[in-house]
Amino acid sequence: MANDILLYGLKGSPFVRKVQILLAEKGVDYDFEMANPFAPTDWFAALSPARRIPVMRDRSIGAEGVAGTLPDSSVICAYLERKYPQPTLYPTGAFDYGRALWLEEYADTELASRVGLGIFRPAVMSALMGKAPDLERARKTLSEDLPPLFDYLNEQAHGREWFVGDALSIADISVATQFGNFRLAGGKLDASRWPHLAAIVGRMLARPSAAHCLEQEGKLFKAPEAWC
Ligand SMILES: N[C@@H](CCC(=O)N[C@@H](CS)C(=O)NCC(=O)O)C(=O)O
């Protein structure tokens, strides 16, 4: 029998992986269907007005068309938290909750744009599009654009096992999924310079929920020879 949850997207997307990690942490089985936002079919364009992935369908709400679908990883994760409350992945205290949402937003926008456009695209995607990898661009992103973000996240991670409170939350998942693309592209995070960030990211990516996704994706995406 089909699962309630169906996720549309592509492997290699940090936002799709974010939802997959959350589902795995909650122990929810789901189906996956490929949808390409760069060449959207009419049916997919109707589900994703912003022409982005992921989109989720809850078949218990609607099995066809737009009914039962939600776009955007943050919206989907928040929905899944309500539908499957255990284990909770959003802090309960008001300020911790706000801080987790902020770190999710920061990862989804600031970190995602640098890692996606500045590392993953030039180092990995260009080869898939038949172009030589632009490793100069990737090196520049790593040496100039990312350090202020790593500094900030390292400070946020200081003295903590997880980014918020004392439990794994959406903040850890959101930050770590961006580092998933960084890792797939062969990026190395300098743990001597950013030890607290490296510890949380390492802890999160080693969990079966994330490790399983990255193992599958590692078969699809080839990192260039050591470039950093
Ligand atoms: N805020 C969105 C961002 C999703 C997003 O940008 N996804 C990328 C793939 S990683 C996409 O669909 N890009 C299509 C495009 O830029 O045309 C979310 O959290 O789901």
Side-chain angles (χ1 to χ4, degrees):
M1 211 177 79
N3 293 300
D4 268 5
I5 303 300
L6 167 60
L7 190 61
Y8 299 100
L10 289 178
K11 299 290 163 75
S13 159
F15 302 101
V16 171
R17 188 186 312 113
K18 176 181 157 192
V19 176
Q20 290 183 287
I21 295 174
L22 180 128
L23 283 163
E25 289 290 342
K26 287 185 175 287
V28 175
D29 290 332
Y30 60 96
D31 297 314
F32 188 92
E33 195 171 315
M34 273 196 17
N36 183 355
F38 302 104
T41 54
D42 288 347
W43 70 264
F44 185 71
L47 307 191
S48 181
R51 306 282 199 274
R52 288 179 187 271
I53 52 170
V55 170
M56 180 220 65
R57 176 185 298 285
D58 183 341
R59 289 187 175 111
S60 72
I61 308 288
E64 281 174 32
V66 179
T69 65
L70 287 171
D72 194 277
S73 67
S74 301
V75 171
I76 297 167
C77 288
Y79 174 76
L80 291 168
E81 174 76 5
R82 282 284 172 97
K83 183 170 167 101
Y84 305 104
Q86 296 303 324
T88 178
L89 292 172
Y90 289 72
T92 44
F95 192 73
D96 278 355
Y97 178 70
R99 216 175 134 251
L101 294 187
W102 158 242
L103 288 169
E104 176 184 26
E105 170 65 16
Y106 187 73
D108 284 2
T109 53
E110 304 298 322
L111 193 57
S113 59
R114 270 73 161 194
V115 172
L117 301 179
I119 304 267
F120 194 70
R121 185 181 287 183
V124 178
M125 293 307 287
S126 41
L128 292 179
M129 294 186 276
K131 294 190 214 145
D134 184 353
L135 297 180
E136 273 321 300
R137 171 82 200 273
R139 284 190 195 103
K140 188 167 180 297
T141 303
L142 184 56
S143 62
E144 293 175 21
D145 301 341
L146 280 169
L149 280 74
F150 291 171
D151 287 343
Y152 174 69
L153 289 170
N154 192 56
E155 198 183 297
Q156 295 297 309
H158 193 173
R160 297 173 177 276
E161 188 177 358
W162 300 109
F163 273 113
V164 183
D166 55 6
L168 167 75
S169 77
I170 189 67
D172 307 293
I173 295 174
S174 304
V175 171
T177 192
Q178 300 301 332
F179 277 95
N181 284 65
F182 184 72
R183 190 180 276 189
L184 286 171
K188 306 259 184 310
L189 179 62
D190 182 349
S192 61
R193 186 167 171 195
W194 296 290
H196 314 300
L197 173 61
I200 290 185
V201 168
R203 211 171 281 133
M204 184 68 235
L205 293 184
R207 290 175 76 85
S209 58
H212 176 72
C213 291
L214 289 174
E215 190 197 320
Q216 302 292 314
E217 292 172 286
K219 295 176 189 156
L220 304 174
F221 300 100
K222 195 169 147 32
E225 294 300 313
W227 55 270
C228 61

